[in-house]
Amino acid sequence: MQKEELLHLHMLLVHIKKYYEGTTGEEVPTDQYNALHISPVHIHKNKISHKKAILTLGGEVVQHIRSHHNPYIGHQHDVRSEGVMTEH
């Protein structure tokens, strides 16, 4: 993966976290991510640092969601969307 792609993915995860917090009113604790002292705008940092930040932030968001929401409650599977295919 190119560095530019990692930066975009890093920014996307930050936006996902902020969106989740805004829609649920829950704060996602990201102590491990914050300890890395890296953000998507730190373009001077190397690819390895951004990969670690992406994995750390993603892990903390997923861990928070799993610990605060029962995965078997409130999920409705939309059968109509399964059979839809698009042609390019």
Side-chain angles (χ1 to χ4, degrees), residues 5-57:
E5 294 169 322
L6 289 172
L7 293 170
H8 285 222
L9 182 56
H10 193 170
M11 183 63 78
L12 179 61
L13 279 174
V14 169
H15 284 293
I16 289 170
K17 175 187 175 287
K18 288 181 182 181
Y19 177 80
Y20 176 83
E21 290 175 335
T23 57
T24 63
E26 301 172 6
E27 183 178 346
V28 177
T30 54
D31 297 332
Q32 294 174 346
Y33 172 74
N34 296 338
L36 297 175
H37 302 289
I38 185 170
S39 78
V41 297
H42 291 145
I43 60 173
H44 62 281
K45 300 270 184 160
N46 62 28
K47 285 173 59 172
I48 294 170
S49 297
H50 283 284
K51 282 182 185 180
K52 185 172 183 177
I54 289 166
L55 293 173
T56 303
L57 179 58

